[in-house]
Each structure stands twice: as C-alpha cells, then as structure tokens.
Amino acid sequence: MKNLVGIDQSKAKELATMLNQLLADYQLFYQNLRGFHWNIKGKEFFELHLKFEEFYDDAVLKVDEIAERILTLEGEPLHTFTDYLKTSNIKEAKGVTNGIEGVKIVVNNFSTLIQLEREILAAASDADDEGTVSLMSDYISQTEKTLWMLNSYLK
C-alpha cells in the first residue's frame, strides 16, 4: 500500500523513524549552538559569536523542514525534549566557554548529522522518495562545505 504521496507505507514509516532521529539530533545541535553563542569567551568571541548564530539560525530552519517532511510521510514528529534527549546521538554540551572547544564539538556534531543524512538519503532513494532525497542531498552538500571550512579554521 502506498501513502498519500505515493510512497510505500512501510518504507515511509521507516523513513519517518530515521527522520525523527535526525530531528532529535538537530534539536540538541541547535541547543548546543545557542549555548556556545551565549557563553563563548576569549579572542575569537566576535567571529564565533556570529558564526554560532548563523549555524543555529540554519539549524532551526532544518528542524522545521524535517518535522514537516515527517508529516508529509504521514508520521508524527517528536516534539518533547524528553524524546529528543532519549533519541539523539548528539549529547548536550554544557559549560563550554572556549571557542576552539566549541568549534570542535560543532565539527563532531556535524559529522554525526551528515552520517545519518547519508543513511536517510540511501533509504529514501530505495523508497523512491524524491522529496526526502532532495532534502538530504541539500543538507549533505551544505554540511560537507561547512565541515571543510571548520576543519580549516581549526588548523
């Protein structure tokens, strides 16, 4: 059986589960970025304060896109922090004030996100789910470039 958008219901359910994982990861990533933005100190403050804001502005948009994609697939997006904390592979980063430490955590968080995005891309391709494929392709190409830039910053 196919759902409203023409995707096999069992594959859509699997994709919704994977997207909920990504949603939880992005919510924790977003909150970590807010903390870095607020609490970073030192000589990199001005540049990193703005960069962390840029990243969390982007993350909050992705949170909404992911939740709406889950709904499009006829799933239910997670929406409580209890669920996010239980589900996320990204962990809370508490008390980080050092800019370089914050950037290293962001790099690790992006690496976690891109790995899951690639898994979702493969599953969506297998399900002939062009909407999710397109979304993940966009996220992956953007994340790859960001990881390259952050890695260059850390050298």
Side-chain angles (χ1 to χ4, degrees):
M1 298 239 357
K2 299 206 180 226
N3 67 9
L4 185 63
V5 294
I7 298 167
D8 178 88
Q9 287 180 340
S10 64
K11 289 182 179 184
K13 184 177 181 181
E14 177 187 335
L15 283 165
T17 298
M18 295 175 82
L19 287 165
N20 262 319
Q21 174 70 57
L22 188 62
L23 178 63
D25 287 345
Y26 261 104
Q27 286 285 25
L28 268 287
F29 181 54
Y30 169 83
Q31 201 58 46
N32 285 345
L33 290 164
R34 293 301 304 227
F36 300 154
H37 171 77
W38 293 326
N39 296 307
I40 226 68
K41 298 185 179 3
K43 63 183 179 178
E44 301 96 2
F45 172 80
F46 289 104
E47 64 191 285
L48 291 179
H49 182 77
L50 292 173
K51 185 52 74 175
F52 292 141
E53 182 176 10
E54 176 188 321
F55 289 157
Y56 75 66
D57 282 345
D58 181 65
V60 77
L61 293 173
K62 285 182 169 72
V63 162
D64 193 55
E65 290 173 341
I66 294 163
E68 289 177 352
R69 189 67 199 162
I70 292 166
L71 289 164
T72 300
L73 294 171
E74 300 178 2
E76 181 179 347
L78 298 176
H79 58 276
T80 67
F81 276 97
T82 302
D83 288 337
Y84 298 147
L85 289 168
K86 184 171 54 174
T87 305
S88 180
N89 289 318
I90 291 178
K91 301 303 175 206
E92 295 174 299
K94 187 175 179 181
V96 177
T97 59
N98 178 281
I100 298 302
E101 182 183 350
V103 171
K104 287 178 180 177
I105 292 168
V106 169
V107 166
N108 287 333
N109 289 176
F110 270 129
S111 294
T112 298
L113 292 166
I114 200 168
Q115 179 181 348
L116 180 55
E117 290 165 353
R118 289 185 197 287
E119 292 171 17
I120 294 169
L121 176 69
S125 181
D126 181 58
D128 293 325
D129 176 2
E130 184 58 36
T132 302
V133 166
S134 176
L135 195 63
M136 291 304 105
S137 292
D138 290 347
Y139 289 5
I140 290 167
S141 62
Q142 181 183 8
T143 303
E144 286 174 342
K145 183 175 181 181
T146 302
L147 279 168
W148 158 66
M149 291 176 152
L150 289 172
N151 189 52
S152 294
Y153 180 85
L154 290 172
K155 292 193 181 224

